[in-house]
């Protein structure tokens, strides 16, 4: 989703929701628009506003939602530890079930 333009986000999420069968699960991890993410590469054209991803799924059963930094425990070899003092990028993570 972060490679889309802002005008494409609502349609992309609507399409994702329409393709999910009743009781189906959607998992999304997307970057948040915040000062900690200013160093994201330029091709990451879209970052969600705080609470925005959750709002798109307000009509679903939200099983898990958080907006924070990823747990980089035991992943320092995979993630660049110099990003935000080793915290990585702040993101929204959602698991939601279709009604």
């Amino acid at each position: 989703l972060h490679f889309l333009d802002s005008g494409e986000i609502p349609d992309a999420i609507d399409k994702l929701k329409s393709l999910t069968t009743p009781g189906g699960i959607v998992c999304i991890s997307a970057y948040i628009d915040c000062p900690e993410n200013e160093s994201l590469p330029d091709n990451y054209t879209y970052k969600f506003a705080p609470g925005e991803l959750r709002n798109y799924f307000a009509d679903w059963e939200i099983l898990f939602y958080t907006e924070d930094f990823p747990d980089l425990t035991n992943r320092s070899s995979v993630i660049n530890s110099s990003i935000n003092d080793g915290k990585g990028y702040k993101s929204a993570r959602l698991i939601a079930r279709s009604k």
Side-chain angles (χ1 to χ4, degrees):
L1 293 172
H2 48 261
F3 295 110
L4 300 177
D5 292 327
S6 62
E8 297 173 295
I9 296 296
D11 289 341
I13 290 179
D14 285 347
K15 183 73 168 180
L16 177 65
K17 290 170 73 174
S18 74
L19 293 172
T20 305
T21 59
I25 303 286
V26 169
C27 300
I28 297 174
S29 179
Y31 294 116
I32 297 295
D33 190 10
C34 64
E36 294 88 354
N37 290 348
E38 289 177 358
S39 64
L40 275 166
D42 291 339
N43 63 335
Y44 287 55
T45 54
Y46 189 78
K47 295 179 275 300
F48 284 85
E52 181 181 6
L53 182 60
R54 180 184 203 111
N55 291 341
Y56 278 115
F57 287 87
D59 57 334
W60 283 36
E61 179 185 1
I62 296 177
L63 304 173
F64 175 81
Y65 188 81
T66 187
E67 293 181 3
D68 56 15
F69 293 95
D71 178 4
L72 300 180
T73 307
N74 299 321
R75 291 181 36 194
S76 60
S77 62
V78 176
I79 304 296
N80 183 344
S81 62
S82 67
I83 297 171
N84 293 328
D85 297 322
K87 293 186 293 186
Y89 293 115
K90 191 171 185 179
S91 61
R93 289 180 293 289
L94 166 101
I95 301 173
R97 180 180 299 144
S98 173
K99 292 186 177 183

